[in-house]
């Protein structure tokens, strides 16, 4: 009789499952996201924002990011935000991987975890369709057992809710897990789900990384495997 359950990891894997946020964690998407924000701003005569200004706005989904961009350039009402949100998404989808690249060392770290037998997952507040399109454009989709977006679990259930983290665990077959991210949404969701959490100091931080309350901080992907091993002890 054959089993449909996922293969168990080798003893080398520090955790059965390692989940990752996307923007600011696996990928530096700041250039393409800033361009999309500025496209929406320009359509109503607003001045552009620099990439450094947009970075702290990333992490809570495109609408929240745009709302902060509009607030920084004069504010707007909800009806205008609805229209501009669509413009932002359309522009972003058309230019989703013009400037985006994995952070240094990401691919090596993912290869090592996969070789150890860990199951890898993405849990992002980006719309699932956009997350899949981006990962596909970078030929990364096949590395992940599941991809969960900010809309996957329905309205109000994106991070910091633990629901997408629980869904990650279910889709990956259960077992020990850790979560890696760069925002308070990531760390709060991971902690609410009872997982050890790792914060990326190089991500799109909304506040000092020490204030996120993560169990560990990495300054680069060369530190990920040793940090996971330490947290697993």
């Amino acid at each position: 009789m054959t089993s449909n359950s996922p293969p168990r990891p080798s003893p080398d894997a520090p955790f059965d499952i390692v989940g990752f946020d996307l923007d600011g964690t696996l990928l530096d998407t700041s250039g393409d996201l800033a361009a999309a924000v500025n496209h929406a701003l320009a359509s109503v005569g607003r001045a552009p924002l620099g990439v450094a200004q947009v970075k702290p706005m990333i992490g809570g989904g495109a609408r929240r990011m745009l709302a902060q961009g509009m607030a920084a350039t004069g504010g707007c009402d909800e009806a205008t935000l609805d229209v501009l949100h669509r413009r932002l998404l359309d522009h972003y989808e058309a230019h989703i991987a013009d400037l985006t690249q994995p952070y240094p060392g990401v691919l090596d770290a993912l290869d090592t975890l996969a070789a150890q037998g860990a199951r890898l997952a993405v849990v992002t507040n980006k719309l699932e369709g956009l997350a899949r399109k981006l990962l596909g454009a970078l030929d990364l989709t096949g590395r992940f057992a599941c991809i969960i977006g900010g809309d996957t679990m329905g309205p109000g259930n994106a991070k910091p809710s633990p629901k997408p983290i629980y869904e990650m665990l279910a889709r990956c077959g259960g077992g020990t897990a850790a979560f890696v991210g760069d925002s308070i949404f990531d760390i709060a969701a991971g902690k609410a789900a009872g997982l050890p959490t790792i914060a990326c100091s190089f991500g799109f931080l909304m506040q000092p990384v020490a204030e996120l309350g993560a169990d560990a901080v990495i300054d680069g992907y060369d530190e990920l495997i040793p940090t996971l091993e330490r947290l697993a002890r």
Side-chain angles (χ1 to χ4, degrees), residues 212-229:
L212 296 180
D215 296 296
V217 175
I218 59 171
D219 298 322
Y221 269 89
D222 58 321
E223 300 175 12
L224 178 62
I225 308 299
T227 301
L228 288 167
E229 291 171 344

Side-chain angles (χ1 to χ4, degrees), residues 175-197:
T176 61
F179 194 71
V180 185
D182 70 306
S183 77
I184 191 64
F185 303 110
D186 303 322
I187 303 308
K191 292 176 80 69
L195 271 55
T197 55

Side-chain angles (χ1 to χ4, degrees), residues 155-215:
N157 291 318
K159 298 174 294 183
S161 168
K163 288 185 179 181
I165 304 295
Y166 291 138
E167 183 69 8
M168 173 191 81
L169 298 176
R171 293 189 187 188
C172 288
T176 61
F179 194 71
V180 185
D182 70 306
S183 77
I184 191 64
F185 303 110
D186 303 322
I187 303 308
K191 292 176 80 69
L195 271 55
T197 55
I198 298 174
C200 301
S201 68
F202 47 84
F204 306 153
L205 300 172
M206 302 172 189
Q207 65 251 78
V209 70
E211 295 180 7
L212 296 180
D215 296 296

Side-chain angles (χ1 to χ4, degrees), residues 24-232:
T25 298
L26 289 174
L27 306 177
D28 184 355
T29 55
S30 58
D32 290 323
L33 288 171
V37 169
N38 285 329
H39 173 79
L41 293 177
S43 73
V44 289
R46 299 291 177 89
L49 297 172
V51 173
Q53 291 173 283
V54 175
K55 275 186 178 182
M57 302 175 183
I58 301 169
R63 186 183 176 90
R64 184 181 185 276
M65 175 179 66
L66 177 60
Q68 291 181 86
M70 292 299 288
T73 58
C76 75
D77 57 39
E78 288 297 312
T80 302
L81 190 60
D82 287 341
V83 173
L84 297 185
H85 183 216
R86 186 69 261 164
R87 289 178 189 169
L88 182 153
L89 292 176
D90 288 346
H91 184 277
Y92 183 61
E93 185 170 9
H95 301 275
I96 200 163
D98 288 358
L99 302 171
T100 292
Q101 291 293 331
Y103 281 105
V106 161
L107 300 184
D108 287 343
L110 295 180
D111 284 344
T112 298
L113 288 169
Q116 291 175 340
R119 300 186 293 282
L120 308 178
V122 168
V123 181
T124 175
N125 278 350
K126 187 189 294 293
L127 295 172
E128 181 180 335
L130 291 177
R132 290 184 177 278
K133 181 168 184 175
L134 176 56
L135 289 166
L138 298 175
D139 198 26
L140 297 175
T141 307
R143 293 175 177 268
F144 300 103
C146 69
I147 299 165
I148 298 170
D151 57 334
T152 303
M153 305 304 295
N157 291 318
K159 298 174 294 183
S161 168
K163 288 185 179 181
I165 304 295
Y166 291 138
E167 183 69 8
M168 173 191 81
L169 298 176
R171 293 189 187 188
C172 288
T176 61
F179 194 71
V180 185
D182 70 306
S183 77
I184 191 64
F185 303 110
D186 303 322
I187 303 308
K191 292 176 80 69
L195 271 55
T197 55
I198 298 174
C200 301
S201 68
F202 47 84
F204 306 153
L205 300 172
M206 302 172 189
Q207 65 251 78
V209 70
E211 295 180 7
L212 296 180
D215 296 296
V217 175
I218 59 171
D219 298 322
Y221 269 89
D222 58 321
E223 300 175 12
L224 178 62
I225 308 299
T227 301
L228 288 167
E229 291 171 344
R230 177 170 59 80
L231 291 176

